[in-house]
Amino acid sequence: MNLNCNRSLFPILSSHTHLASCSQGAIAIPVSKAIEDYHQSLLNDGTNWGAALKKADAARGLFAQLIGAEKDEVAILCSVSDVFSSIMSTLTDHPKRKGLVFTDIDFPTVGHILYAQKTFKDHLSIVRSFNNEIPLEQYEKKVSNDTLLTCIPHVNYCNGYKQDVKKIADIVHGKGSLLFVDAYQSAGHIPINVKEMRIDMLATGTRKYLLGIPGVAFSYIRKELAKELNPRVTGWMGQEESAAFDLLNPIPAVGTRRFETGTPAFISIYAAYEALRVLLEVGINNIESHLKNLTQFGLQYGLEKGLSLAGPLTIENRTSLMSFHVENAPLVEAKLRERKIIVSARKNVIRIAPHFYNTQDDIQLALDELSQIV
Ligand SMILES: Cc1ncc(COP(=O)(O)O)c(C=O)c1O
């Protein structure tokens, strides 16, 4: 499958310039069809439980392929917040370590969940960013021999800053801490290999660069680790034999599937499965190199237009998520939408987040209009 040849797969592109993959990716025809298939199966067959479970298993398999994991190391929940809450529920009675480290560029849900863990309230440390970047020495300083878990975002959701996960993993593991990676702003457009990057746990949802809809988040937990963890946020779908309906003898599933809870959002799983197929067919390396070219262009063109870039100036330590400072970002987002350009506002920036279906013309148009508005 070629990159831009497939613009016709995305109906929205015939009327809009869609540059909001950091928020909601464009929906491809096969994804839309999968949603409709699920809907139709309920209308026509009345129930589709067995087929839906099979689809969930197949989606686990495709996601595992995307991140270089095994299928048994993947669980399906509903949101990244659910995944992270579930992970935290396993750590409260660790016999030796109490420290939790996170960063000031994490998505807020990470802080919200960590602050909710009363057992850890006196053991939280924050790694601070400087000029939108986190030097590795900061991890050396903050992660200690008491740290149980270090949480990092792969990519900053506000400005596209990308961290070197493998180097952070070396530091974190050197101190005996586990590493959790929030990959919601990276999965689907830059390569991830959890084994090479030595990630212990990872979470991502499907509605951004994974080109699905809300309702599904994938969780990776290294298999040797998963079997030692017992989630308290749990349920019947996390049991080894959920179909046994054994009320009194819970036996958690052997692998990471023990992190699953109840009936998942099957309709979103149908969408996720087709979206993953599209992404794997196009190829993440192809997507990354196409987006590098667009970013190179966008950074330069934004500068020429006098726009004020947030985040790293060069492509080495950033993704294609380009953010520009504006006053009243939600209003600017709305004005661009009136001009049929879909971008995403956060705090004081407008985020322009292309995917493989975008072209240099899309970026140019968005930056022309943005500079006119500001
Ligand atoms: C990096 C990152 N992590 C987590 C979240 C929250 O995900 P969820 O709503 O699935 O909990 C977001 C949502 O925008 C995000 O950008």
Side-chain angles (χ1 to χ4, degrees), residues 22-23 78-83 105-110 113 153 155-157 182-185 203-208 216-217 346 351:
C22 59
S23 176
C78 288
S79 69
V80 167
S81 305
D82 288 344
V83 171
I105 60 168
D106 269 295
F107 189 79
T109 207
V110 170
I113 293 164
V155 171
N156 182 337
Y157 73 101
D182 176 350
Y184 211 167
Q185 294 293 345
T204 182
T206 55
R207 79 185 182 98
K208 304 180 192 291
V216 170
R346 277 287 176 279
R351 301 182 299 170

Side-chain angles (χ1 to χ4, degrees), residues 18 21 27 49 54 70-71 77 113 128 160 169 171 199 203 218 221 245 247 250 254 289 292 325 329 340:
H18 191 296
S21 308
I27 297 299
W49 184 259
K54 273 196 194 136
E70 292 171 26
K71 190 164 75 173
L77 285 103
I113 293 164
R128 302 271 173 199
I171 296 170
I199 295 171
F218 290 108
I221 295 166
F245 298 101
L247 172 68
V254 175
S289 70
K292 273 190 176 159
H325 292 115
K340 298 204 176 306

Side-chain angles (χ1 to χ4, degrees), residues 78-287:
C78 288
S79 69
V80 167
S81 305
D82 288 344
V83 171
F84 192 53
S85 292
S86 174
I87 287 174
M88 286 312 303
S89 81
T90 67
L91 300 181
T92 34
D93 35 39
H94 192 276
K96 297 213 177 86
R97 292 172 178 246
K98 279 269 172 281
L100 300 178
V101 173
F102 65 114
T103 75
D104 67 359
I105 60 168
D106 269 295
F107 189 79
T109 207
V110 170
H112 301 161
I113 293 164
L114 291 178
Y115 284 115
Q117 314 297 317
K118 299 298 176 216
T119 0
F120 294 107
K121 78 175 178 8
D122 298 326
H123 304 272
L124 293 175
S125 308
I126 305 180
V127 175
R128 302 271 173 199
S129 54
F130 297 91
N131 294 328
N132 295 312
E133 300 185 14
I134 302 184
L136 288 173
E137 305 83 75
Q138 292 306 310
Y139 289 102
E140 296 276 12
K141 275 192 200 146
K142 292 287 174 167
V143 183
S144 76
N145 293 333
D146 181 50
T147 307
L148 174 55
L149 180 70
T150 304
C151 310
I152 63 163
H154 191 176
V155 171
N156 182 337
Y157 73 101
C158 274
N159 63 25
Y161 167 57
K162 179 177 70 172
Q163 304 208 81
D164 189 331
V165 175
K166 190 166 179 321
K167 286 198 176 139
I168 297 170
D170 287 344
I171 296 170
V172 165
H173 291 150
K175 307 269 176 111
S177 164
L178 296 169
L179 179 65
F180 167 80
V181 176
D182 176 350
Y184 211 167
Q185 294 293 345
S186 57
H189 69 122
I190 56 177
I192 296 176
N193 185 306
V194 286
K195 304 291 170 187
E196 283 169 12
M197 292 168 144
R198 302 186 57 225
I199 295 171
D200 296 303
M201 311 186 227
L202 171 145
T204 182
T206 55
R207 79 185 182 98
K208 304 180 192 291
Y209 294 92
L210 286 185
L211 305 183
I213 59 173
V216 170
F218 290 108
S219 160
Y220 158 80
I221 295 166
R222 185 166 53 77
K223 63 177 175 212
E224 299 79 6
L225 177 62
K227 63 179 180 220
E228 290 169 13
L229 301 177
N230 287 304
R232 288 186 181 147
V233 172
T234 185
W236 69 297
M237 302 292 282
Q239 302 301 305
E240 184 57 21
E241 279 298 333
S242 57
F245 298 101
D246 188 342
L247 172 68
L248 302 179
N249 299 295
I251 303 174
V254 175
T256 303
R257 216 173 39 73
R258 66 175 53 190
F259 282 81
E260 295 186 354
T261 55
T263 307
F266 285 129
I267 196 161
S268 307
I269 290 175
Y270 274 60
Y273 173 81
E274 285 305 325
L276 281 164
R277 271 167 50 104
V278 169
L279 288 169
L280 288 168
E281 200 173 321
V282 175
I284 298 296
N285 289 331
N286 295 333
I287 294 173

